[in-house]
Amino acid sequence: MKSRIESLVRPEILALRAYHVPPAAGLIKLDAMENPYGWPESLLSEWLETLRGVEPNRYPDPQGEALQAALRKAMGIPSDMGLLLGNGSDELIQMLALTVAQPGRKVLSVEPGFVIYRMVGLFSGMEYVGVPLQAEDFSLDLPAMLEAIEREQPALVYLAYPNNPTGNRFDVDDMVRIIEAAPGLVIVDEAYAPFTDYSFMGLLGDWDNLLVMRTVSKMGLAGLRLGYLVGPTPWLAEIDKVRLPYNVNVLTQVSATFALEHKDVFDAQTQSIRTERGHLFEALGGIEGLQLYPSEANFILVRTPAGRAGAIFDGLKERKILIKNLDGAHPLLADCLRLTVGSPEENAAMVEALKAVMA
Ligand SMILES: *Cc1c(COP(=O)(O)O)cnc(C)c1O
């Protein structure tokens, strides 16, 4: 069987390791940028009542019309722009790649960046080009980006705004230079939109190759798996052709529509996460030996003293706190850990554990 596997499976797939999600049972989960807050009891009962109307024996609405309308209303989507729904924005990243993939074509993004861009580029048979960010503050290296775009002529450029796993937001003028230089699509991935005041949504239409991608995951609906892509209708009509039918299931459609009608609840939660991000940043600043990177997302990247990230990660886990160890993920992330902003109690527990482990 082994030889048959090795002769059949594409070499680039054989060389991969499956995307690993560590088990988190019994741990304070500060590794995956989830919203720590549950739903108020009244909202829960109303939601469960809504689910009574669902018919699980029927296929969902193929376009998710009601959900699209709720998103347009809640998220300030320009009325002259198209809207496409995905099973998480991860699926939209894949649909974009499938739409343009041809041998020799390139997908370009920055490093360190969101790993799914690279994975999906590879899955779809394209080549992935990662351009390093600047070492000192993870800002865009504009000359290097423009040079890479000129050389590689990428079909797709993905830019996370703010960036994961660094947390910073790139310079708007640099982004515009990239959009103007790119021969293909530029997708601005605004997964962390609830945690920043900046967006490219209002600039859609200024360039015919700009698309904006969002998700409801980080605002507090990660379990529903819903992402959305916004941009000029002619582009979205093409991308819609590679979408598998019924990609957004009926429970997600109904639940997300319901949640968006109560967006004030989630706005209050994400606003409090933003406040807690400030408190956490301050508390982490009091820990000797930690270098902090400013964040406009719901996590903070920190650099530990050389060679200690693994031991600190393990020490936190012994104290029942799960974070993300990024040491080894990319040379620019040596000794780095990514800390999701949790509830005040969770953050305090993490800070205490860090102090104990680093003392
Ligand atoms: C979390 C994240 C996503 C994934 O969103 P889903 O909708 O949960 O698939 C996309 N892009 C970036 C940059 C992210 O950090």
Side-chain angles (χ1 to χ4, degrees):
M1 186 166 74
K2 188 157 180 281
S3 71
R4 203 188 304 225
I5 288 174
E6 283 176 358
S7 64
L8 189 63
V9 177
R10 289 155 53 192
E12 61 271 31
I13 303 296
L14 277 175
L16 281 180
R17 278 185 303 151
Y19 188 83
H20 175 65
V21 179
L27 303 179
I28 295 182
K29 200 167 179 309
L30 298 173
D31 67 326
M33 283 80 89
E34 290 148 327
N35 175 335
Y37 302 112
W39 294 15
E41 197 52 49
S42 60
L43 198 65
L44 271 179
S45 344
E46 208 185 317
W47 169 53
L48 292 175
E49 228 14 77
T50 313
L51 292 181
R52 280 186 183 279
V54 170
E55 294 184 304
N57 54 317
R58 302 290 178 196
Y59 282 109
D61 179 319
Q63 313 294 341
E65 298 288 357
L67 176 51
Q68 288 212 19
L71 277 169
R72 283 191 177 277
K73 188 150 172 256
M75 300 301 184
I77 295 168
S79 55
D80 58 339
M81 289 293 145
L83 176 60
L84 188 59
L85 308 184
N87 188 325
S89 46
D90 289 350
E91 191 194 32
L92 292 166
I93 296 169
Q94 185 167 51
M95 283 161 57
L96 281 155
L98 289 176
T99 304
V100 302
Q102 276 188 339
R105 285 218 172 145
K106 314 278 172 68
V107 175
L108 186 142
S109 190
V110 299
E111 297 278 320
F114 190 48
V115 293
I116 305 292
Y117 308 144
R118 170 195 289 275
M119 284 171 55
V120 162
L122 213 92
F123 297 167
S124 61
M126 289 193 282
E127 279 171 53
Y128 174 82
V129 180
V131 180
L133 296 169
Q134 308 216 59
E136 61 275 19
D137 60 359
F138 298 116
S139 59
L140 287 169
D141 183 343
L142 186 63
M145 284 297 281
L146 295 177
E147 197 266 326
I149 288 170
E150 174 68 26
R151 185 183 65 239
E152 308 287 354
Q153 295 290 301
L156 298 176
V157 176
Y158 290 107
L159 291 170
Y161 182 86
N163 189 41
N164 174 13
T166 57
N168 59 312
R169 191 172 51 76
F170 300 134
D171 182 80
V172 180
D173 296 331
D174 287 355
M175 301 266 291
V176 167
R177 293 282 301 278
I178 289 167
I179 296 166
E180 291 182 342
L185 282 171
V186 176
I187 300 99
V188 178
D189 179 350
E190 298 189 340
Y192 298 96
F195 310 103
T196 179
D197 295 328
Y198 295 84
S199 171
F200 273 75
M201 193 73 91
L203 299 179
L204 281 170
D206 286 6
W207 303 275
D208 68 3
N209 61 336
L210 171 66
L211 303 178
V212 170
M213 187 170 66
R214 295 256 186 104
T215 173
V216 299
S217 294
K218 309 308 175 355
M219 80 176 237
L221 302 172
L224 295 185
R225 307 304 299 132
L226 176 68
Y228 56 103
L229 187 65
V230 188
T233 311
W235 277 122
L236 296 203
E238 297 303 319
I239 299 159
D240 191 39
K241 295 178 189 171
V242 306
R243 185 174 62 88
L244 293 174
Y246 315 117
N247 60 327
V248 180
N249 75 74
V250 66
L251 293 175
T252 296
Q253 289 193 23
V254 167
S255 304
T257 304
F258 172 82
L260 290 167
E261 284 162 2
H262 299 84
K263 185 160 172 286
D264 54 321
V265 173
F266 300 91
D267 286 345
Q269 293 181 345
T270 53
Q271 193 52 49
S272 111
I273 293 168
R274 284 172 77 151
T275 306
E276 286 312 314
R277 173 180 68 199
H279 294 157
L280 178 60
F281 197 88
E282 221 167 279
L284 293 170
I287 300 178
E288 185 88 33
L290 272 191
Q291 184 191 351
L292 312 184
Y293 292 92
S295 168
E296 293 195 34
N298 61 341
F299 59 87
I300 297 174
L301 183 76
V302 302
R303 197 181 299 271
T304 69
R308 294 195 55 197
I312 294 170
F313 173 86
D314 291 342
L316 257 65
K317 204 163 164 193
E318 273 165 32
R319 288 163 173 78
K320 304 284 178 219
I321 296 166
L322 183 64
I323 59 168
K324 178 82 172 177
N325 182 5
L326 292 168
D327 182 57
H330 187 273
L332 290 176
L333 294 173
D335 309 308
C336 284
L337 302 171
R338 190 187 63 195
L339 315 173
T340 298
V341 181
S343 67
E345 298 74 26
E346 292 173 333
N347 298 337
M350 174 166 63
V351 168
E352 280 321 299
L354 276 169
K355 281 182 180 160
V357 170
M358 291 185 66

